Amino acid sequence: MAINFKNPSTPTTPNNSVSKGSQHNTVNPSSQDPGKTSSLEQASKAPLAGESVQLSKDARQLQNVADKIAHQPSVDSERVAQLKQAIADGSYQINNERVASKLLGLEAQL
């Protein structure tokens, strides 16, 4: 039996057309063995009221760090303003050796 995703409760025939007026034999999983429940039935059960989950210390710390990062601005506008001012007045100094070493380090990683 195929599943009709537009109407999951309606069974479809093998050629994917909805069967109208025909009787389908369905098997009730509980009729096979009353003591067993299908995995689908178990997965669809909602958690019981009163159940609780406790996070570990590491999980709580990770959540705190994630919250702090989420509240940080993606760009440090104060630093950008300082750099713009230094470039505009000519006081920005480029360290050629540092730039060269960073480029060589990047090349080594590739």
Side-chain angles (χ1 to χ4, degrees):
M1 172 172 46
I3 297 173
N4 180 355
F5 288 104
K6 292 181 182 177
N7 190 0
S9 63
T10 306
T12 58
T13 59
N15 64 1
N16 290 332
S17 64
V18 176
S19 172
K20 294 184 180 184
S22 64
Q23 297 293 326
H24 290 280
N25 292 333
T26 58
V27 177
N28 184 355
S30 62
S31 67
Q32 293 173 350
D33 187 359
K36 292 184 180 179
T37 58
S38 71
S39 60
L40 180 60
E41 288 176 12
Q42 291 173 354
S44 65
K45 289 183 182 178
L48 299 175
E51 290 184 6
S52 65
V53 175
Q54 293 183 359
L55 299 176
S56 68
K57 179 182 174 186
D58 292 338
R60 287 191 302 269
Q61 286 178 338
L62 184 60
Q63 183 64 46
N64 288 337
V65 170
D67 290 343
K68 287 179 184 178
I69 290 172
H71 291 92
Q72 293 292 322
S74 60
V75 175
D76 185 357
S77 55
E78 184 179 322
R79 178 72 174 142
V80 171
Q82 290 173 351
L83 290 171
K84 282 185 177 181
Q85 182 61 37
I87 291 170
D89 65 22
S91 64
Y92 183 73
Q93 299 292 319
I94 298 173
N95 183 342
N96 296 332
E97 290 180 13
R98 183 170 183 236
V99 171
S101 74
K102 294 285 185 174
L103 285 172
L104 289 173
L106 178 62
E107 181 70 25
Q109 289 179 0
L110 300 175

